[in-house]
Amino acid sequence: MPAGAVVTRSTASTAARIDALLRPEIRALSAYHVPPAAGLLKLDAMENPYPWPGGLEEEWLAGLRGVELNRYPLPHPAELVQALARQAGVPPGCGLLLGNGSDELIQLIDICLARPGASVLLPTPTFSMYSLIARVAGLGVIDVPLRADFGLDLPAMRAAIERHQPALIYLACPNNPTAGLFDPAELRALIGAAPGLVVVDEAYFPFAGRSVLPWLLEFNHLLVLRTLSKVGLAGLRLGYLIGHPDWLAQFDKARLPYNINTLTQLSAQFALAHADRLAGEAARICEQRHRLSQELKALPGVTVYPSDANFILLRLPPGQAPAAHGALQQAGILVKNVHGGHPLLTDCLRVTVGTAAENEALLAALRAHLTGTV
Ligand SMILES: *Cc1c(COP(=O)(O)O)cnc(C)c1O
């Protein structure tokens, strides 16, 4: 072909080939959308608002200086695993498997359990990645709505278990986006009734103070998922799965060998050596959560749901969520509009708890919008 010749690629044949080759489940998906946040106060993704204090940052950077980036990371970073296990209080006889964020562990579990016809049971609304990853893995997805008060609908869950015999159940506790914990007796009953694996996702444990970790000693089919993402280390991508070593050994076979990069390994160990700082920030966020909840409740027509996490779900007067979301964005504040995502979330917004100043900015903008004052 002469240099500079124009090549016209045929879109028609690409579409035909995609149709012929792609799994239909993938074709049917929409990509996970992360809205642009440049220049906005980011209260949409449950990140920790506090930067590292100056001295600590210097110390961390000094530690990174010796890293050999020409070498592959440790495939099994034993020291990091031990530090995480110690900090989490992993029960005796249980193991811990690292993931590139807890999302990767969800993917790993789903891939391993995706036998033909296998399905995952989800009480909804819940973390959207559960159904997205399940579909990519080829699992069927069965969803059972929560009760109107966002508790588990135990009879409906039992009926779905009877009918579908799900290989897997994901229970986020506290749940995202509803923010509360499930009742422990109901949670326990559900785990007891499950014919397959149950994964209790404790991404928000640092703000909840209650865990099912001790139940691992009673239930061999229970796994607990944790992450560093919500305590100030979202950029590292480090999650971990705790449970029976026989299960973890199977999942480990499907894990890519170097899933935790060297910078993450080092930084996580450094952060764990300063775990008191992370705990202190979680406590501050819980104080702010209380204050922000009280103030939101005082706004006209706003319902605030109880939160055991670092975010709050609120319901606005009918029809107002999209406009309020837009007005907040105009005011430079990004929150999550969950209206339209699930019938139980009609008119709802989800807001991350920020610093005192960030929460004040959110309140002022929302108050101005709802009362028509500027
Ligand atoms: C935010 C969140 C996670 C975190 O996922 P990572 O991949 O670890 O960042 C996991 N589960 C739930 C329910 C969440 O809301």
Side-chain angles (χ1 to χ4, degrees):
M1 191 182 301
V6 178
V7 181
T8 315
R9 291 189 295 174
S10 158
T11 326
S13 76
T14 301
R17 230 175 259 219
I18 286 175
D19 275 341
L21 298 176
L22 205 70
R23 287 169 41 213
E25 306 93 291
I26 307 294
R27 191 86 212 254
L29 289 175
S30 342
Y32 185 79
H33 174 64
V34 179
L40 295 174
L41 171 51
K42 209 167 174 307
L43 297 179
D44 68 326
M46 283 78 101
E47 291 143 325
N48 171 323
Y50 302 110
W52 287 22
L56 214 52
E57 188 174 76
E58 284 308 310
E59 205 184 316
W60 166 62
L61 287 171
L64 292 183
R65 213 154 273 144
V67 166
E68 293 186 309
L69 283 181
N70 56 320
R71 304 288 175 201
Y72 281 106
L74 288 178
H76 293 279
E79 273 184 48
L80 174 57
V81 167
Q82 271 163 26
L84 281 167
R86 214 175 311 120
Q87 200 230 6
V90 171
C94 291
L96 188 152
L97 183 67
L98 301 178
N100 191 326
S102 31
D103 289 353
E104 190 193 32
L105 292 162
I106 296 167
Q107 187 183 48
L108 204 51
I109 298 167
D110 285 8
I111 291 169
C112 291
L113 268 59
R115 290 160 59 113
S119 62
V120 51
L121 174 61
L122 305 173
T124 59
T126 190
F127 188 37
S128 61
M129 294 307 291
Y130 299 148
S131 74
L132 178 66
I133 296 173
R135 287 175 213 279
V136 170
L139 284 163
V141 176
I142 299 142
D143 44 64
V144 171
L146 292 169
R147 298 187 312 238
D149 66 355
F150 301 138
L152 291 167
D153 186 342
L154 210 50
M157 292 291 278
R158 281 190 198 277
I161 286 173
E162 280 291 303
R163 176 137 180 251
H164 300 282
Q165 298 292 312
L168 195 51
I169 305 177
Y170 284 104
L171 300 165
C173 204
N175 188 36
N176 171 11
T178 55
L181 288 158
F182 294 127
D183 175 77
E186 289 173 346
L187 194 59
R188 214 187 154 76
L190 188 56
I191 296 168
L197 268 185
V198 180
V199 178
V200 174
D201 182 346
E202 297 190 334
Y204 300 99
F205 165 74
F207 313 99
R210 205 181 76 205
S211 173
V212 301
L213 219 50
W215 298 2
L216 288 173
L217 294 171
E218 293 168 68
F219 298 110
N220 285 347
H221 66 295
L222 172 66
L223 298 166
V224 177
L225 197 54
R226 296 266 182 98
T227 178
L228 298 188
S229 291
K230 309 297 151 70
V231 290
L233 301 165
L236 286 186
R237 310 302 299 131
L238 190 69
Y240 51 103
L241 183 67
I242 307 168
H244 197 290
D246 289 355
W247 274 114
L248 301 188
Q250 297 299 325
F251 300 142
D252 197 37
K253 292 192 258 175
R255 180 183 62 86
L256 297 177
Y258 304 113
N259 62 331
I260 313 298
N261 75 72
T262 310
L263 299 178
T264 293
Q265 292 188 16
L266 228 98
S267 304
Q269 253 179 281
F270 178 81
L272 287 172
H274 300 277
D276 49 339
R277 191 196 121 247
L278 298 182
E281 286 172 0
R284 278 161 78 188
I285 290 167
C286 289
E287 282 169 32
Q288 284 298 321
R289 173 180 74 200
H290 179 71
R291 285 193 42 203
L292 180 58
S293 298
Q294 296 304 315
E295 304 244 13
L296 286 168
K297 277 180 195 165
L299 297 180
V302 174
T303 304
V304 177
Y305 293 93
S307 169
D308 299 289
N310 64 341
F311 62 92
I312 295 171
L313 184 75
L314 50 128
R315 198 183 299 267
L316 300 182
Q320 295 208 16
H325 179 261
L328 288 173
Q329 196 149 338
Q330 283 294 312
I333 302 168
L334 188 60
V335 302
K336 177 98 170 169
N337 177 17
V338 293
H339 169 84
H342 190 282
L344 289 172
L345 298 175
T346 301
D347 303 315
C348 288
L349 297 179
R350 188 193 69 191
V351 302
T352 307
V353 178
T355 63
E358 290 172 347
N359 301 334
E360 279 307 322
L362 170 69
L363 279 164
L366 193 56
R367 189 179 295 122
H369 174 71
L370 291 174
T371 59
T373 58
V374 179

